[in-house]
Amino acid sequence: MHIELKDIHKHYGPVRANNGVNLKVEAGTIFGILGENGAGKSTLMKILAGYIRKTSGQILLDGHVVDYTSPAIAARLGIGMLYQDPLDFPALSVLENFIIGQRRGLTQSNQSFCQKLQSLADELHFALRPDQVIRSLTIGERQQLEIIRLLALGINILVLDEPTTGISSLQKEVLFKALRQLATAGKIVILVSHKLEDVEQLCDNVTVLRRGKVTGNMQAPFDAQKLLKMMFGQIPSTPQCGRITPGKTALVMQGVSASGGRAGLEKCSIQFHQREVIGLAGLEGSGQGVFMRVAAGLKQPVQGKIHMYERDVTDQDYHVFKDYGGMYVPASRMEEGLIPSLTIAEHFALQVSGEFWVNWSKAMQKAEDSIVQFSIKGQKQTLVASLSGGNQQRLLLSFLPSNPKLLLLENPTRGLDVESGHWVWRHLQKYCRTDACIVFSSSELDEIMMVADRVLVFYNGRIIKDVPTCETSVEELGRAIAGKI
Amino acid sequence: MTELNLTILLASVVAGAAPIIFATIGETITEKAGLINLSLDGTIMLSAMVAFVTAYSTDSIVLGFAAAAGVGALLAATVAVFSIYLNQNQVAVGFVLTLMARDLAYFLGNPYSRLAGPQAAPLPVPLLSKLPIVGPILFNHYWPVYLSLILIIVAWWYIYGTPEGLKLRSVGENPQAAFARGIDPRKMQLFSALLGGLFVGLAGATFALAIKPGWGRPQGAEGTGWIALALVIFGGWNPIKAAMGAYLFAFLQVIGIYLQGWFPSVPAQVFQVAPFPLMIFTLMIMFFAQRETAQIWAQNTPWKQSLLKLLAGNAPACLGKPYRPE
Amino acid sequence: MTRNTPQSHQPLKVLQNISITAATVFCFTFILIMASGAPPFKAFFYIFKGSLGSWVKLSHVIQAWVPLTLCACGLLYTFRIGLWNIGIEGQMIMGAVFSTAVLRLGTQSAFPWFVLILSFVAGVIGGGLWAVIAGFLKTRSGVNEIFAGLGLNFVAQGIILWLIFGPWKRPGVASMSGTEVFPTELWLGTIKSLRLAPVGVGFAVLAIITSAILLRYSSIGLRLRAIGSNSHASYLFGMKPNQYMLLAMLLAGGFAGLAGNLQVTGVYHRLLPAISSNYGYLALLVVMLADYKVWAVPAIAFFFACLNVGSIQLPMVLQVDSSLSGVIQGALVLATLALSGWRRFQTAN
């Protein structure tokens, strides 16, 4: 058995998520697909899994062209995928999740499904209780359930999209062991990741994607330097020490705890200064999101004190934070950052208008200026919903006040192409020179190493590491993220 | 002063709740798949009219019920098609249909106003109806009332005990995931609308042919649809809890009649209003029960936790958010 | 500022849409009237004659147009912020109740015009209060505004019945025909022989103009729209969504309350159980058919008023129910929704 992708294209308007991708995978191997965020890995795999339709290209299964339009048909061909955000039913039980989508004989009882679930789980050393509700499971357990479910469907080709994000190191070991077991049994395992270590540990072969194209292939053992070069085009350099002189304290937290997210926030104490750029690292939901929301006044802490430029802002809301020169830019641009049914000009009108009348002339002027200054591809009358991700982010940044005191940016470059990402940082670094303090979260350690002066690592709701970036390395941070200091 | 006889009171509660149960459970089924059919109030009126006219013209109660079920399914399908395939706001379509179906019922039913027509005869269950207390309360009714009792159990079993019910719930919880597993969310929602609408139609028929026999303007069923919609929420999208809500409501209605006997100066309509503030109050309680502070309050205390569990209804995660294929 | 929506550039397309909708609804209604055994053309003719056939009829139409327009204008604010103010019916009723309370106190007053002005204020307060209750239930207690509004409608209905049959009943007889008629000094002045109060028309026209200006040129209008589209983002932009929701409700309730007042002071001169005449619910349809645009509201409200008034005499002349108007109105909205959905469906494929 083997599977082959030939000249796969996927275009979203002018954006080319996949631009002529070729690859071939043989049975019994674990195949890695490597690339930074936005390289087109997920798109490619969703095409393979039948979840989205390709613009052009061919998929060959054992040399025969196969064409399918839904994940269910793909599953019948033996192709199954574990999506990055688990595609399951949080309100339902493990057993119910297992059953939905399985073909069922007339006399087949839930009991027989339960037995099948148990035996598959035992085989792969997964600990799952059939009556548990999915909502109470960890991401790792939800993945385990999905794998078992797909195997029960008779999957021969298993695609996993970033499976190691958000799971514990123990669960990762269990997962990797199970995947090796499956490969040994003759199945194809395709692992999509942006983490070198995953690929190094597990894969036999790897293909690197960059900007929708294949930039290289390699067989184990891998040369990390070469892989990095294929991924990024260039290897991120280690920063120099002492490139800033911190100013006044911008933000102080003393023993702040809050609920929310997967882990909440526990007894967090920090001190940030002017002109500092601080990167927040950690697995998704380890507390950095809650940290930012608490700092911005969007969420009230359960205990602890927060000071901003020596003023007590504990229990104050976001509008106070904003009055004091703070600004929070959320990661979900369309959900929280922008107002989809308003035009660019109307966004500016919201900001420049007085209490009663809209100041259209001022708004128009501001919109015009910002479109030029921030090179936003769009007109004054363009609805923001129709802007591309990069342009939405540029627009959001154009709303920043001219001399902010404290910026909190959640994943500011997520989903942007490399160029836009660089642009964003070039722009943000200007604010450092004007005495702002910039705090941002990122899932890319490379990004943090490149732009931050200081890095905080969150693990399970706590800050377990707080060092200048010049005194640490990607490897050390990677270990800290996994909870090993 | 009216004598308060508990057996008679409870018997009239069971009978009076029957149409409300049909409507509530029908809507619960529809909403379980993620679709809101707001047109209930009008649907009940139109199906009541059609039931009466059909039964009157054919002299067949059963045909009357069947026609009403058909009307209910048709109107629900309209909401579903507008929402699923034509991309229109469910609430808007449902609301328009509410008003339109009611007016259509008054308009087309006008020639049949205040006519004496057929109505379901009481049908005591042999032996069981002779039981003390339970007999008159549960087993001495029109047959649609028995049907409503059976429906509670069957609907619960269908939703939580069958593969089809599981599919239905999966679509309401996460249509994207359901699609990835080979279920067509649009077809499933359309089906749930048809099935649910069918029972809503039966609610109308039960009014016109049993509980408040006859047709006219007003018929007396006005407002029931809104109550049913509220009861679905009250019941936390669980048919058994929703049915309990229906009985509670019917009880309030019956009590209202007694109260009227005691306070003759207060018009009947005032007592009929009573359940609505209660509905608002319930919704408030449900909201507060789901809040973090309530969870903290109930921590480590089993009875508090079960109380919260009872109060907090879990709406289908994707209720009212139409599925758009990627 | 001109907003360039694609539709406004295609008057031909709009005309085409309107004719398709009208033709569909015409055919549907035609068949329906046939089914009820009445001659369709005659029915249409009677509706026309009953609404625009004479000056007196026209004055009745305008009498219905006033509350419809007022309520529709109010609903524009709540729709902008994404609220379904189904409680508008109850808000109108409470406006009428509050107004009646003031008028009852002022029956012996030496300054009837002052009492009338007070009653306007009371009407606005009554409607606004009822709306703000629903607003608080929504913002503070998480009760969906549809259910809160609906519940409050029934409560308002209960209150009005209790008042008419209880404390405010006519001496001797309590009946559905309402409270005692107020002395004529407390009636709004009417145009001679037409029973049409110009003050009411003035209020409606004023409501249209203020709403058009507020929604288009004021910060409030823009902010309502922003919050309606994305309340999270609006909060980050510095707005307080809950306050604006209450403001929108207050405005809607105020307009509805004024409509309720005019039903008492300008039309019935007493409190009736059916004082709202369902105009609140009907106004929801008006706004939907107007595609939530203020300039289309007066025309559609006028058309709906014609249908309502014109169909009143149908039971007498053709022995069919007057609810035909409601059927036509509903069918129009439904057909419009269907057509816009169909167009989108076509462009998507």
Side-chain angles (χ1 to χ4, degrees):
Chain A
M1 180 186 63
H2 64 267
I3 185 133
E4 195 176 351
L5 300 181
K6 263 191 175 167
D7 197 29
I8 301 289
H9 283 263
K10 178 67 191 180
H11 302 171
Y12 291 103
V15 181
R16 314 214 146 179
N18 285 158
N19 197 358
V21 178
N22 292 297
L23 57 91
K24 192 174 175 183
V25 189
E26 297 289 340
T29 54
I30 302 183
F31 193 91
I33 295 189
L34 200 60
E36 61 174 329
N37 278 357
K41 301 165 302 205
S42 292
T43 308
L44 185 68
M45 289 302 114
K46 280 183 178 168
I47 288 171
L48 177 60
Y51 194 77
I52 51 182
R53 293 188 197 189
K54 54 190 185 289
T55 309
S56 66
Q58 280 183 329
I59 299 171
L60 288 91
L61 189 61
D62 289 330
H64 303 289
V65 176
V66 281
D67 207 6
Y68 40 84
T69 49
S70 84
I73 305 173
R76 249 173 266 161
L77 291 165
I79 304 165
M81 175 165 174
L82 203 69
Y83 300 90
Q84 192 170 0
D85 303 311
L87 212 50
D88 53 16
F89 308 96
L92 305 185
S93 75
V94 166
L95 183 62
E96 286 172 328
N97 265 274
F98 180 73
I99 292 174
I100 298 169
Q102 305 271 8
R103 261 159 293 168
R104 172 191 279 261
L106 264 179
T107 55
Q108 201 164 8
S109 65
N110 282 1
Q111 197 53 41
S112 70
F113 280 117
C114 196
Q115 280 162 5
K116 201 168 180 185
L117 169 75
Q118 293 285 17
S119 71
L120 278 166
D122 290 344
E123 216 172 287
L124 296 173
H125 309 288
F126 294 162
L128 290 169
R129 287 217 331 263
D131 57 332
Q132 263 184 312
V133 180
I134 298 293
R135 196 180 282 128
S136 66
L137 299 185
T138 62
I139 296 283
E141 286 167 324
R142 287 162 78 173
Q143 281 178 353
Q144 295 175 352
L145 174 61
E146 272 297 287
I147 292 173
I148 288 178
R149 190 184 71 81
L150 290 169
L151 291 175
L153 279 174
I155 295 301
N156 289 314
I157 299 163
L158 179 64
V159 181
L160 300 100
D161 193 357
E162 304 278 5
T164 57
T165 306
I167 68 173
S168 71
S169 51
L170 191 73
Q171 283 174 332
K172 187 169 141 177
E173 270 169 45
V174 174
L175 173 71
F176 280 11
K177 212 171 133 197
L179 293 180
R180 280 191 205 103
Q181 200 178 324
L182 292 176
T184 319
K187 300 199 187 290
I188 291 176
V189 176
I190 302 180
L191 179 83
V192 177
S193 183
H194 68 285
K195 293 179 188 161
L196 264 183
E197 44 172 305
D198 293 355
V199 172
E200 281 173 338
Q201 268 182 49
L202 199 66
C203 297
D204 307 308
N205 280 298
V206 64
T207 283
V208 183
L209 285 187
R210 183 162 188 255
R211 298 184 196 177
K213 283 185 169 172
V214 175
T215 49
N217 296 292
M218 200 183 281
Q219 282 198 332
F222 303 109
D223 179 341
Q225 291 300 310
K226 272 191 188 163
L227 282 180
L228 277 175
K229 204 161 189 176
M230 289 178 199
M231 278 172 75
F232 294 100
Q234 69 198 48
I235 298 166
S237 53
T238 331
Q240 300 287 307
C241 268
R243 64 181 174 189
I244 54 144
T245 43
K248 283 187 276 188
T249 46
L251 183 73
V252 180
M253 280 196 193
Q254 290 163 318
V256 171
S257 297
S259 60
R262 249 176 247 150
L265 187 66
E266 261 182 81
K267 305 244 166 49
C268 161
S269 296
I270 50 91
Q271 199 163 26
F272 294 161
H273 302 90
Q274 278 183 316
R275 291 193 288 277
E276 260 186 327
V277 179
I278 296 120
L280 310 183
L283 296 174
E284 199 94 4
S286 298
Q288 61 274 56
V290 183
F291 174 87
M292 286 219 200
R293 299 189 144 259
V294 169
L298 288 162
K299 194 167 185 53
Q300 304 312 327
V302 181
Q303 60 179 63
K305 284 260 163 251
I306 306 170
H307 289 263
M308 184 177 166
Y309 287 95
E310 279 154 22
R311 275 179 290 204
D312 190 350
V313 292
T314 322
D315 293 328
Q316 299 285 6
D317 69 4
Y318 177 71
H319 291 172
V320 174
F321 173 78
K322 210 175 165 196
D323 288 342
Y324 288 172
M327 180 102 176
Y328 166 78
V329 182
S332 49
R333 292 183 273 270
M334 227 51 240
E335 287 74 40
E336 261 193 298
L338 298 167
I339 297 155
S341 71
L342 296 195
T343 65
I344 292 181
E346 284 167 332
H347 275 80
F348 285 101
L350 280 175
Q351 296 169 68
V352 300
S353 294
E355 263 314 297
F356 201 79
W357 298 112
V358 176
N359 191 339
W360 282 121
S361 59
K362 198 170 163 193
M364 287 304 197
Q365 191 56 50
K366 190 93 198 287
E368 219 160 276
D369 295 348
S370 298
I371 285 170
V372 175
Q373 198 196 335
F374 289 81
S375 43
I376 297 163
K377 292 196 188 76
Q379 257 103 54
K380 283 178 291 185
Q381 306 293 1
T382 310
L383 289 179
V384 297
S386 60
L387 292 175
S388 73
N391 284 311
Q392 286 172 4
Q393 187 69 342
R394 282 163 198 256
L395 182 63
L396 265 180
L397 292 177
S398 75
F399 300 153
L400 292 182
S402 53
N403 52 345
K405 296 235 173 80
L406 175 58
L407 292 180
L408 302 171
L409 311 152
E410 204 181 17
N411 286 304
T413 58
R414 173 183 284 178
L416 300 191
D417 57 70
V418 183
E419 241 116 291
S420 301
H422 285 321
W423 186 90
V424 165
W425 277 114
R426 272 202 306 281
H427 179 76
L428 285 174
Q429 271 156 350
K430 282 182 210 154
Y431 290 110
C432 286
R433 279 173 241 136
T434 57
D435 292 349
C437 169
I438 299 183
V439 183
F440 74 100
S441 66
S442 175
S443 51
E444 311 299 305
L445 285 179
D446 308 312
E447 181 182 22
I448 291 175
M449 289 303 276
M450 234 175 317
V451 299
D453 308 303
R454 194 171 142 195
V455 55
L456 268 58
V457 180
F458 284 78
Y459 181 75
N460 239 342
R462 288 170 183 276
I463 296 171
I464 58 161
K465 203 171 188 64
D466 180 356
V467 287
T469 40
C470 58
E471 290 170 19
T472 185
S473 65
V474 172
E475 290 76 30
E476 196 181 289
L477 291 177
R479 276 200 301 279
I481 285 173
K484 289 182 232 161
I485 315 171
Chain B
M1 193 174 275
T2 322
E3 187 82 21
L4 192 77
N5 180 324
L6 203 63
T7 316
I8 294 175
L9 184 128
L10 288 181
S12 49
V13 166
V14 170
I20 308 170
I21 285 176
F22 282 125
T24 307
I25 288 189
E27 182 67 12
T28 301
I29 291 172
T30 306
E31 291 194 9
K32 269 285 176 202
L35 192 82
I36 302 173
N37 176 8
L38 199 73
S39 77
L40 251 56
D41 203 50
T43 305
I44 290 174
M45 294 308 295
L46 188 59
S47 55
M49 187 279 287
V50 169
F52 179 76
V53 171
T54 310
Y56 181 84
S57 324
T58 63
D59 211 25
S60 158
I61 301 277
V62 175
L63 273 182
F65 270 88
V71 168
L74 186 74
L75 285 170
T78 312
V79 176
V81 168
F82 269 75
S83 155
I84 301 167
Y85 296 101
L86 296 177
N87 234 329
Q88 297 298 313
N89 186 331
Q90 292 171 10
V91 172
V93 177
F95 180 73
V96 176
L97 276 179
T98 306
L99 298 188
M100 190 179 156
R102 188 201 58 199
D103 284 335
L104 201 57
Y106 289 150
F107 179 71
L108 290 177
N110 191 41
Y112 299 89
S113 270
R114 310 278 165 240
L115 292 180
Q119 67 183 81
L123 186 78
V125 181
L127 298 178
L128 289 176
S129 62
K130 298 282 181 284
L131 290 171
I133 304 170
V134 182
I137 293 176
L138 286 180
F139 300 111
N140 194 4
H141 290 294
Y142 309 114
W143 62 264
V145 176
Y146 303 132
L147 197 63
S148 76
L149 292 170
I150 297 167
L151 181 65
I152 302 169
I153 311 297
V154 172
W156 181 82
W157 173 76
Y158 168 75
I159 292 172
Y160 294 106
T162 68
E164 282 303 305
L166 183 57
K167 276 189 198 170
L168 187 86
R169 280 185 289 148
S170 77
V171 170
E173 291 295 338
N174 189 350
Q176 267 76 22
F179 169 71
R181 296 175 184 209
I183 299 166
D184 185 339
R186 296 169 156 209
K187 276 195 192 135
M188 205 66 214
Q189 287 187 335
L190 185 59
F191 171 74
S192 81
L194 284 169
L195 186 64
L198 210 120
F199 292 123
V200 177
L202 290 185
T206 309
F207 271 121
L209 299 176
I211 305 297
K212 286 175 178 159
W215 174 254
R217 176 180 185 174
Q219 200 275 339
E222 284 86 351
T224 313
W226 297 117
I227 290 160
L229 276 162
L231 287 175
V232 173
I233 305 173
F234 177 87
W237 290 271
N238 177 325
I240 292 186
K241 269 164 84 180
M244 292 307 127
Y247 285 120
L248 179 68
F249 178 78
F251 177 76
L252 286 171
Q253 266 187 331
V254 173
I255 276 288
I257 297 167
Y258 283 96
L259 284 176
Q260 205 190 344
W262 298 332
F263 307 99
S265 61
V266 185
Q269 289 90 337
V270 174
F271 293 110
Q272 282 169 12
V273 165
F276 287 96
L278 193 74
M279 168 193 89
I280 294 175
F281 187 67
T282 316
L283 291 174
M284 280 170 70
I285 302 263
M286 276 173 63
F287 175 75
F288 287 115
Q290 274 163 329
R291 292 188 108 172
E292 234 170 80
T293 39
Q295 302 298 336
I296 292 167
W297 169 74
Q299 242 168 17
N300 308 323
T301 332
W303 73 265
K304 284 179 180 173
Q305 276 176 346
S306 36
L307 179 71
L308 282 191
K309 217 174 164 187
L310 191 75
L311 289 173
N314 280 324
C318 293
L319 181 64
K321 297 171 199 148
Y323 166 72
R324 306 269 170 258
E326 240 175 85
Chain C
M1 152 97 178
T2 50
R3 274 171 46 74
N4 299 333
T5 45
Q7 286 87 351
S8 64
H9 278 303
Q10 304 163 325
L12 210 69
K13 196 95 180 171
V14 173
L15 207 66
Q16 195 191 347
N17 285 355
I18 291 175
S19 18
I20 292 175
T21 313
T24 316
V25 173
F26 181 80
C27 292
F28 172 75
T29 321
F30 195 92
I31 295 166
L32 217 58
I33 301 171
M34 293 260 284
S36 75
F41 283 116
K42 238 181 179 158
F44 289 132
F45 174 71
Y46 278 123
I47 291 179
F48 176 76
K49 204 176 140 205
S51 56
L52 301 171
S54 72
W55 288 109
V56 176
K57 301 279 184 204
L58 181 67
S59 76
H60 289 161
V61 170
I62 295 174
Q63 226 169 42
W65 176 81
V66 168
L68 257 184
T69 305
L70 280 169
C71 287
C73 282
L75 287 170
L76 286 170
Y77 300 98
T78 43
F79 271 123
R80 280 288 187 288
I81 203 164
L83 290 174
W84 262 84
N85 184 19
I86 225 168
I88 186 126
E89 193 72 28
Q91 290 148 24
M92 204 174 152
I93 292 174
M94 289 315 278
V97 167
F98 273 53
S99 304
T100 307
V102 168
L103 293 172
R104 285 177 67 86
L105 290 173
T107 39
Q108 308 297 329
S109 168
F111 306 101
W113 55 269
F114 181 70
V115 176
L116 274 172
I117 291 174
L118 266 186
S119 83
F120 294 146
V121 177
V124 171
I125 291 175
L129 177 78
W130 217 237
V132 168
I133 293 176
F136 269 120
L137 283 170
K138 163 93 179 174
T139 54
R140 293 284 168 83
S141 314
V143 179
N144 184 304
E145 77 275 10
I146 295 180
F147 288 105
L150 211 59
L152 289 170
N153 286 351
F154 284 100
V155 173
Q157 194 65 50
I159 290 174
I160 204 172
L161 283 166
W162 171 67
L163 287 170
I164 289 171
F165 285 83
W168 290 356
K169 71 172 173 231
R170 266 193 290 179
V173 278
S175 83
M176 293 298 275
S177 59
T179 59
E180 208 175 356
V181 176
F182 293 117
T184 42
E185 304 91 69
L186 291 179
W187 297 15
L188 283 186
T190 54
I191 298 170
K192 226 167 149 191
S193 78
L194 278 186
R195 280 192 62 205
L196 180 68
V199 177
V201 180
F203 275 131
V205 172
L206 206 64
I208 297 165
I209 296 171
T210 17
S211 299
I213 293 173
L214 272 180
L215 291 171
R216 187 160 257 229
Y217 299 105
S218 81
S219 301
I220 294 168
L222 184 63
R223 286 177 192 158
L224 290 178
R225 208 145 56 83
I227 296 166
S229 175
N230 188 344
S231 66
H232 289 292
S234 300
Y235 177 76
L236 290 185
F237 273 98
M239 291 167 250
K240 293 190 165 47
N242 282 351
Q243 282 182 11
Y244 278 91
M245 280 194 190
L246 290 176
L247 176 69
M249 288 301 278
L250 188 69
L251 284 166
F255 279 118
L258 187 58
N261 170 288
L262 294 173
Q263 290 287 91
V264 173
T265 55
V267 182
Y268 296 110
H269 312 299
R270 61 178 187 241
L271 194 64
L272 291 171
I275 195 78
S276 72
S277 310
N278 267 339
Y279 288 146
Y281 288 139
L282 197 57
L284 280 159
L285 297 197
V286 169
V287 179
M288 275 194 256
L289 194 59
D291 198 17
Y292 313 99
K293 292 189 175 69
V294 63
W295 55 265
V297 161
I300 288 168
F302 184 78
F303 180 57
F304 273 32
C306 286
L307 286 173
N308 263 28
V309 172
S311 61
I312 288 174
Q313 57 172 342
L314 288 180
M316 273 103 71
V317 292
L318 290 176
Q319 283 76 49
V320 297
D321 200 272
S322 62
S323 56
L324 178 64
S325 59
V327 178
I328 298 175
Q329 289 153 348
L332 275 170
V333 180
L334 211 57
T336 311
L337 291 176
L339 190 66
S340 93
W342 177 246
R343 292 262 189 249
R344 228 184 288 176
F345 185 78
Q346 271 183 322
T347 44
N349 297 339

